[in-house]
Amino acid sequence: MADDKKHAEIDAALVRQLAEILNETDLTEVEVERGELRIRVAREITVNAAPVQYAAAPAPVAAAPAAAAAPAAMPSDPATIVARAGEEVKSPMVGTAYLQPSPEAPAFVQPGDKVKKGQTLLIVEAMKTMNPIQAPRDGVVADILVGDAQPVEFGEALVLLEA
């Protein structure tokens, strides 16, 4: 039991050190492996405020193109996603998105597919655990907003679901 407590203290210190490295270097993620221990620390990029502007005032049509022009360098930028109609299915964790159950298998869903509540849309792997991301309701897949084997952040939009 004492080893577990010591191990937890080491983990907390390591996590703090990794977080400091992120802040000092402006990286978005860092990962360390020591034997069986693997720690990954990541943060969401907060460079732009466009998602807040879209969320606060999605109706003005003239404002949307001007705001979307600024983050054009980042195609996976949430600002371009929020402007779309539909419900975003967001990642509940930091990890890697996979669009199919195995490399040789077909994708779970494609744009245009009708899905039922609870149906698996994709998988997010976190710490070697495969976590199915399920449809929150019945609907139609309007768009898949991430690529296969793409790293994803907590709260990042993964799939756009229409009624």
Side-chain angles (χ1 to χ4, degrees):
M1 192 68 149
D3 287 337
D4 290 339
K5 186 175 180 181
K6 181 179 178 185
H7 193 59
E9 291 172 2
I10 293 170
D11 294 349
L14 181 57
V15 170
R16 284 188 191 96
Q17 289 174 339
L18 294 174
E20 288 176 21
I21 290 171
L22 286 181
N23 289 332
E24 292 170 1
T25 61
D26 289 330
L27 293 172
T28 57
E29 105 181 28
V30 64
E31 185 173 332
V32 168
E33 285 190 45
R34 289 185 180 169
E36 292 182 22
L37 176 66
R38 177 178 163 194
I39 298 176
R40 179 175 163 190
V41 178
R43 66 180 167 142
E44 193 169 327
I45 300 173
T46 56
V47 176
N48 65 35
V52 176
Q53 293 170 355
Y54 277 114
V61 177
M74 296 177 59
S76 64
D77 183 37
T80 60
I81 297 165
V82 176
R84 298 178 179 167
E87 177 182 352
E88 295 175 342
V89 179
K90 298 181 179 187
S91 179
M93 65 197 70
V94 173
T96 303
Y98 293 103
L99 303 181
Q100 64 263 3
S102 66
E104 58 279 340
F108 288 106
V109 294
Q110 297 286 333
D113 286 356
K114 290 182 181 181
V115 295
K116 296 285 185 190
K117 180 179 179 176
Q119 181 177 339
T120 299
L121 302 172
L122 53 91
I123 293 173
V124 173
E125 177 199 3
M127 298 190 64
K128 298 184 183 182
T129 301
M130 300 298 181
N131 302 282
I133 306 302
Q134 300 175 339
R137 61 174 174 78
D138 292 357
V140 176
V141 176
D143 200 2
I144 298 173
L145 306 171
V146 295
D148 190 44
Q150 175 182 326
V152 295
E153 300 289 333
F154 171 80
E156 181 176 343
L158 304 171
V159 176
L160 193 62
L161 200 59
E162 293 180 337

